[in-house]
Amino acid sequence: YTYKILIWDYKLKILKSKIKGLDIRSNLNSRRIIDIIINDELINHLITAFKKFDLETIEYKPFTRFTIAKILDEYTEGKLSKLLNIILKDRNTGCVKLEINKKNKKITDNLLILISTAITHLIGIPNFDSMSGKFYARFSIKHKDNSDSYLRKAYLNMDLHTDGTFVKEKTDWLMMTKLLETNELQLTLIEEPL
């Protein structure tokens, strides 16, 4: 019993601690979700630190994925990896929502994939995605979609399978990154006689 209290005290201490480059807060809609906002200071550091890495490098050199994870974790003084694992392994939380400043023009799709890769490798080793042939999958969700994948359907609930339905390995966690969002506005011009 005392052991459980000590662990919970440790979890609370990490959850409430200040972590360089991050703002951590409770989600407004659910107590199980922890919001982590990656500030521009950290983004700028990662832009510089990740310059020598491209997607091909992280796809074909697995240890490079751990290198970029180490870069991210060292910036946060080793606290981000601990925080993510505590949140994801605790049934009282279990979910992290990471956010960035969407107005930062330096943020590219490739940078977001590198950051997502670093984060996933702080948690563990991701499953291999057999459809994409990579350790990550990248696809578009459109207003209308004729594919057979529910993941690509914009207006369906995303029922995530972690039971081995679509992969051979056991899946303990999932990470999804929104790279781009566009809202299409359809205008109809009506000509009026002068």
Side-chain angles (χ1 to χ4, degrees), residues 78-162:
K79 294 178 182 176
L80 180 57
S81 58
K82 290 177 186 165
L83 175 66
L84 291 170
N85 279 285
I86 285 172
I87 293 168
L88 294 176
K89 292 176 182 174
D90 186 344
R91 301 228 3 118
N92 293 311
T93 53
C95 182
V96 176
K97 187 175 114 191
L98 294 152
E99 296 179 36
I100 57 165
N101 178 0
K102 296 174 188 133
K103 295 176 185 173
N104 186 333
K105 300 293 182 202
K106 298 177 191 174
I107 297 172
T108 64
D109 289 2
N110 286 358
L111 178 66
L112 289 174
I113 291 172
L114 289 169
I115 292 170
S116 298
T117 300
I119 290 167
T120 59
H121 283 73
L122 290 177
I123 300 165
I125 300 173
N127 291 349
F128 181 77
D129 182 69
S130 57
M131 285 174 47
S132 69
K134 301 174 184 174
F135 67 95
Y136 68 94
R138 188 174 181 176
F139 53 87
S140 296
I141 299 171
K142 298 181 180 178
H143 178 64
K144 293 182 182 176
D145 181 74
N146 295 326
S147 74
D148 62 348
S149 173
Y150 73 94
L151 288 174
R152 292 186 171 101
K153 309 262 186 244
Y155 305 104
L156 291 180
N157 282 344
M158 190 173 288
D159 298 326
L160 300 174
H161 291 275
T162 60

Side-chain angles (χ1 to χ4, degrees), residues 2-88:
T2 305
Y3 178 69
K4 283 186 176 180
I5 291 172
L6 289 174
I7 290 173
W8 183 247
D9 287 345
Y10 176 72
K11 287 179 184 180
L12 283 176
K13 184 178 177 184
I14 288 182
L15 286 173
K16 292 184 179 197
S17 69
K18 294 277 183 197
I19 299 179
K20 183 179 170 186
L22 305 173
D23 296 314
I24 303 160
R25 46 181 90 121
S26 298
N27 184 277
L28 297 175
N29 298 316
S30 173
R31 65 178 182 80
R32 296 195 67 222
I33 301 171
I34 305 298
D35 292 337
I36 299 176
I37 296 89
I38 302 172
N39 66 34
D40 282 339
E41 175 190 327
L42 176 51
I43 291 291
N44 291 332
H45 171 76
L46 294 176
I47 288 169
T48 303
F50 289 175
K51 260 187 183 151
K52 60 185 170 189
F53 304 105
D54 59 19
L55 294 187
E56 188 175 34
T57 303
I58 64 165
E59 288 171 9
Y60 292 108
K61 298 177 182 175
F63 287 108
T64 306
R65 300 174 208 154
F66 292 101
T67 301
I68 62 174
K70 184 179 179 193
I71 290 168
L72 174 59
D73 208 32
E74 283 178 348
Y75 185 86
T76 65
E77 301 165 345
K79 294 178 182 176
L80 180 57
S81 58
K82 290 177 186 165
L83 175 66
L84 291 170
N85 279 285
I86 285 172
I87 293 168
L88 294 176

